[in-house]
Amino acid sequence: MRKLDLLLASICLGIAVPANASIVYDNGTPNGTGGNLSGAWVQAEDFSFGSATNVGGAGIYIGTVSDIAAWDGSFTYYIFSDSGGSPGALLASGSVSPTVTPTGFPDSFGNAYLFAFDFNSAFDASGGATYWLGIHTAADFNSIGNLFWANTDNNGTATGHESFGGTFDNWSDNNEEHAFYLTGLTSGVPEPSTWAMMILGFGAAGVALRRRRAMKLALA
């Protein structure tokens, strides 16, 4: 009976509450005025937090001059430190496969698409520090490509910077603000199936406890 009690307690206490991704930084949505090429360049935008924040992914708004099917499927993200108002040391990077969704936001090139993805590893941003999120949307830097990081309205932060060829030693200010958001992880509310498992587990544990008490009374 003790083994059963331990098993039921493990079921009740060991249920993992799923974590939900939430937006922890929002730089704006496309305003329909164009964007900056992200094929022959690495484009970067700054971000910061008032307190330490765990960043797990991002959503980038991309405009294209042709159908999105022309995209070669390659996407790389970068996180840089800040160096005098420009991207500095490379802190993290990774190749990912974004989920691409048409947004309906107007774009001077046509429809703006949302490229949403998780980082390969979560990034711990320090409070009060400035970082730069960089993107590259092609397999190489040999062609301009047709994907643009869509512009958004100026919001008081630094405008975007770009590095031709992705060498990171030739950053220049492109004088545009770009549409994106960052996501983090927050404790989630248990899903219905999780609640059902918890209720079942607690109920079973209660039955087991009542049986133990009845056995003790019978033996007394």
Side-chain angles (χ1 to χ4, degrees):
M1 186 61 69
R2 289 180 180 177
K3 290 183 179 180
L4 176 60
D5 293 347
L6 290 173
L7 176 60
L8 292 172
S10 298
I11 292 174
C12 294
L13 298 176
I15 295 173
V17 177
N20 295 324
S22 62
I23 294 177
V24 294
Y25 183 91
D26 190 348
N27 206 59
T29 54
N31 62 7
T33 63
N36 289 93
L37 286 165
S38 53
W41 286 264
V42 167
Q43 300 290 343
E45 274 285 349
D46 70 310
F47 65 92
S48 62
F49 300 99
S51 58
T53 302
N54 180 266
V55 186
I60 311 294
Y61 293 94
I62 297 292
T64 177
V65 295
S66 61
D67 190 278
I68 196 67
W71 174 47
D72 65 16
S74 299
F75 191 100
T76 305
Y77 73 89
Y78 310 85
I79 299 177
F80 304 93
S81 64
D82 179 73
S83 178
S86 182
L90 179 62
L91 303 178
S93 65
S95 297
V96 293
S97 298
T99 299
V100 180
T101 307
T103 66
F105 286 115
D107 187 82
S108 61
F109 307 113
N111 185 40
Y113 293 82
L114 175 63
F115 283 47
F117 58 92
D118 292 329
F119 294 160
N120 289 341
S121 297
F123 178 74
D124 292 320
S126 300
T130 297
Y131 302 94
W132 293 78
L133 172 67
I135 64 165
H136 179 236
T137 59
D140 55 42
F141 292 93
N142 295 323
S143 61
I144 292 178
N146 67 340
L147 299 186
F148 299 75
W149 194 345
N151 293 343
T152 191
D153 296 334
N154 290 331
N155 53 27
T157 62
T159 49
H161 282 55
E162 58 189 11
S163 170
F164 183 75
T167 60
F168 306 153
D169 60 358
N170 57 354
W171 292 105
S172 60
D173 191 335
N174 57 37
N175 298 309
E176 299 289 352
E177 195 71 48
H178 299 93
F180 75 98
Y181 62 79
L182 300 173
T183 58
L185 295 179
T186 58
S187 295
V189 175
E191 297 178 354
S193 59
T194 303
W195 279 118
M197 290 178 64
M198 292 174 68
I199 293 170
L200 179 62
F202 285 124
V207 170
L209 289 174
R210 286 194 295 273
R211 286 178 177 173
R212 285 189 62 184
R213 289 172 183 166
M215 288 181 65
K216 288 181 179 180
L217 291 173
L219 295 173

